[in-house]
Amino acid sequence: MSSAEMYSPVPLSFSDAAAAKVKMLVEEEGNPTLKLRVFVTGGGCSGFQYGFTFDELQADDDTVVENGGVALLIDPLSYQYLVGAEVDYVEGLEGSRFVVSNPNASATCGCGSSFSI
């Protein structure tokens, strides 16, 4: 086991819907080492934007949140912006996607993919 930090209770929520979608995508890929990584970068209409990617590698300083047998990874820089947030998966008229509900965001753009603190 790596020295990655594990939290209980978790400072970031990984919804059952998001975990189920990750599990389905990992099974489709046939690669059980894949984990969903959420990160924050500069940009977007509001200053910061969320990003998602699948990653096989887990860094020693990643925060790991597990649900339903799958893992969500957060790097230390992004972690500070995501404490108390929820990663969810939604399906609607505008399509299906992973979303972040972030109580730290003071403003968000209309599509919800960027925010400011």
Side-chain angles (χ1 to χ4, degrees):
M1 177 128 198
S2 75
S3 62
E5 294 179 67
M6 301 289 280
Y7 291 91
S8 181
V10 294
L12 181 125
S13 176
F14 184 26
S15 77
D16 291 343
K21 185 62 175 182
V22 170
K23 187 172 191 166
M24 184 190 81
L25 292 170
V26 167
E27 288 172 355
E28 283 179 5
E29 283 296 313
N31 184 351
T33 63
L34 289 176
K35 299 158 191 65
L36 181 65
R37 180 176 294 279
V38 60
F39 57 92
V40 173
T41 61
C45 356
S46 296
F48 295 103
Q49 59 188 6
Y50 304 111
F52 295 94
T53 188
F54 280 93
D55 203 338
E56 290 181 284
L57 302 176
Q58 176 181 318
D60 287 341
D61 58 355
D62 280 341
T63 297
V64 181
V65 180
E66 294 180 340
N67 185 359
V70 293
L72 175 72
L73 305 176
I74 309 106
D75 66 88
L77 182 62
S78 299
Y79 176 84
Q80 64 186 325
Y81 298 109
L82 295 168
V83 172
E86 179 186 43
V87 174
D88 196 8
Y89 184 78
V90 297
E91 295 181 2
L93 294 175
E94 60 278 339
S96 55
R97 59 192 170 119
F98 290 100
V99 296
V100 177
S101 298
N102 190 342
N104 303 308
S106 60
T108 60
C109 67
C111 67
S113 65
S114 71
F115 68 101
S116 62
I117 301 285

